[in-house]
Amino acid sequence: RPPPGVSRPPSSLFFVRGGDVFPGTEWTSMRPVWQFYAAAVTDGAGVGAIFVAVSVAPEFLTGSEIGLAMLIELVLGPFWVYLAFGDRPPSWTLAGGALLLLTLIIHEII
């Protein structure tokens, strides 16, 4: 039974009916395309590769180097959003990413 003020329980918001993988009933005319499945498989492989790399990396690198390398995600995240959706990151985000990349470059040179 849904809580007061909620028309249906949260678990019923996502149903897979007749090939639909989108939420609710307003998406019934849309069908997933091959790009959806390719993105799902690629995402799964990428997440698996990251976990393996983070598990194996401490054998060859120091903890601080691993921490700095993992911060690259913070720099590349806004870049991928910009490429995919055209959402330009704020100038402070670009400045912070440049500072992080500069720190990594200096660390590797020294």
Side-chain angles (χ1 to χ4, degrees):
R1 179 161 208 156
V6 177
S7 61
R8 55 185 169 178
S11 61
S12 67
L13 293 177
F14 291 90
F15 281 108
V16 177
R17 290 188 204 126
D20 288 336
V21 293
F22 298 106
T25 58
E26 64 275 3
W27 297 91
T28 55
S29 64
M30 298 183 71
R31 297 284 183 250
V33 293
W34 68 269
Q35 290 95 335
F36 170 79
Y37 296 110
V41 169
T42 306
D43 184 48
V47 168
I50 288 170
F51 281 123
V52 169
V54 169
S55 299
V56 173
E59 190 175 325
F60 303 103
L61 301 169
T62 65
S64 60
E65 290 174 328
I66 294 168
L68 285 172
M70 290 181 70
L71 287 175
I72 289 193
E73 178 184 4
L74 297 174
V75 175
L76 295 181
F79 176 69
W80 294 124
V81 170
Y82 173 72
L83 288 180
F85 302 108
D87 186 15
R88 188 172 183 273
S91 58
W92 284 108
T93 302
L94 296 174
L99 179 65
L100 180 61
L101 285 176
L102 181 67
T103 303
L104 289 170
I105 291 169
I106 291 172
H107 180 267
E108 288 301 314
I109 291 173
I110 296 176

